[in-house]
Amino acid sequence: MFEIISKKQITDNEFDITVSAPRIANHAKAGQFVVLRVGDKGERIPLTIADYDTEAGTIRLIFQVVGKSTALLSGLNAGDSITDVAGPLGMPSEIKNYGTVLMVGGGVGIAALFPIIKALKKAGNEVITVLGGRNKDLIILQEECKKYSDEVIFTTNDGSLGMKGLVTDAMQLVSEREEQKIDKCWAIGPSIMMKFCATKCRELTLPCVVSLNPLMVDGTGMCGCCRVTVGNKIFFACVDGPEFDGLAVDWDEFLARSKQYKDEETLSFNNYKEGK
């Protein structure tokens, strides 16, 4: 059992929890994730490690309520325990001094981007961060990202914060600066956002790393559920990723596979909300 040390609601359906997990905290690196289970018969769900504290022995998880399992998790409070937390899983981000990096995050994907921003800044990079959302209230971790970025650009669909537009508009703006040379880009957020960020990076001839979040069960490469096609080869996101070359991802296949159990997920969530 893994005790929840603190819990905070950060948007209407997004939560920020700190969990006691000393062994995981001691080995975690930027880009990795855990697989957890709420209850003995709970579904196994992957969540990125948003931060970790080796001294306190804690990990930070930020998640959005999208179905029954995340709804159950959101119902736990400080002092309650999560049944299982396995990790750290996945390959860590390749952290080194690239020069200038462009970090693009959207929605709850900002939680996955933040530890990479932090690690790249500590490695000596100049960090330019673009954070986007439908409105200002949906852009999380603003102050944390500012702390480890040389510049932060906000974009919102409604213009309530920063530029009115999409993160790709801000990417174009940064690329047009005559004095600005970008050496590498990370883009993490909704799948469709990452697809268009990868398209933009191709236009800009810019290396692009994305963090894929396919359906996942065991997190150890045994079930094959999280397979993705990258560069015409099959990979398992849980052990080969979650980070991949965004320019080589088969995005049409990835988007289609992510929706294959949509009806069943909706039915399960509706039954849960109705108390069935």
Side-chain angles (χ1 to χ4, degrees):
M1 303 290 278
F2 295 79
E3 184 181 357
I4 297 174
I5 305 302
S6 66
K7 173 190 175 184
K8 179 171 64 174
Q9 185 167 356
I10 51 178
T11 71
D12 287 343
N13 66 344
E14 291 178 358
F15 294 83
D16 182 344
I17 60 175
T18 299
V19 180
S20 177
R23 292 185 179 181
I24 297 175
N26 193 47
H27 293 91
K29 293 181 173 62
Q32 292 185 299
F33 64 96
V34 296
V35 170
L36 60 82
R37 192 168 63 119
V38 180
D40 291 337
K41 297 182 179 180
E43 175 189 21
R44 293 166 60 85
I45 58 172
L47 292 176
T48 300
I49 301 171
D51 208 349
Y52 52 90
D53 187 327
T54 55
E55 292 187 6
T58 59
I59 60 174
R60 184 182 185 186
L61 305 174
I62 295 176
F63 64 95
Q64 182 178 28
V65 175
V66 294
K68 177 182 176 181
S69 295
T70 44
L72 287 170
L73 183 59
S74 73
L76 300 180
N77 296 302
D80 293 334
S81 293
I82 301 171
T83 308
D84 296 318
V85 183
L89 300 171
M91 298 294 289
S93 304
E94 187 175 349
I95 303 298
K96 61 182 182 181
N97 192 338
Y98 295 96
T100 300
V101 292
L102 179 60
M103 312 300 290
V104 186
V108 75
I110 297 171
L113 189 71
F114 169 65
I116 307 172
I117 291 173
K118 184 177 179 179
L120 286 167
K121 185 58 187 173
K122 289 185 175 181
N125 292 277
E126 179 183 359
V127 179
I128 301 172
T129 300
V130 175
L131 304 178
R134 293 194 306 275
N135 58 62
K136 64 180 182 179
D137 296 326
L138 297 179
I139 301 181
I140 63 175
L141 301 179
Q142 294 181 27
E143 295 306 315
E144 289 95 330
C145 289
K146 285 180 181 179
K147 181 178 178 180
Y148 294 100
S149 302
D150 295 276
E151 178 184 8
V152 178
I153 302 171
F154 297 107
T155 71
T156 47
N157 293 15
D158 62 0
S160 56
L161 179 65
M163 295 175 55
K164 182 176 182 179
L166 306 174
V167 292
T168 48
D169 298 325
M171 292 171 67
Q172 181 66 40
L173 180 68
V174 172
S175 73
E176 290 173 353
R177 297 173 180 172
E178 292 184 5
E179 75 283 359
Q180 193 75 66
K181 177 184 181 296
I182 304 298
D183 297 288
K184 196 162 187 172
C185 175
W186 266 260
I188 305 179
S191 300
I192 193 67
M193 185 209 88
M194 291 191 290
K195 175 184 177 179
F196 283 108
C197 286
T199 300
K200 176 59 67 175
C201 283
R202 180 174 285 109
E203 293 174 8
L204 302 174
T205 63
L206 179 61
C208 177
V209 178
V210 295
S211 182
L212 299 184
N213 56 341
L215 297 170
M216 197 176 293
V217 180
D218 63 53
T220 63
M222 295 180 66
C223 72
C225 181
C226 67
R227 64 185 183 274
V228 294
T229 302
V230 183
N232 296 317
K233 294 182 179 180
I234 300 291
F235 294 93
F236 295 146
C238 67
V239 290
D240 300 315
E243 293 187 353
F244 293 97
D245 178 359
L247 305 183
V249 172
D250 184 333
W251 288 106
D252 291 338
E253 177 192 73
F254 181 75
L255 290 167
R257 280 181 53 78
S258 68
K259 299 174 183 176
Q260 63 182 331
Y261 296 114
K262 190 68 176 177
D263 292 342
E264 290 84 355
E265 290 168 351
T266 300
L267 177 61
S268 176
F269 195 19
N270 288 338
N271 286 341
Y272 165 74
K273 289 188 287 187
E274 294 170 6
K276 296 181 180 178

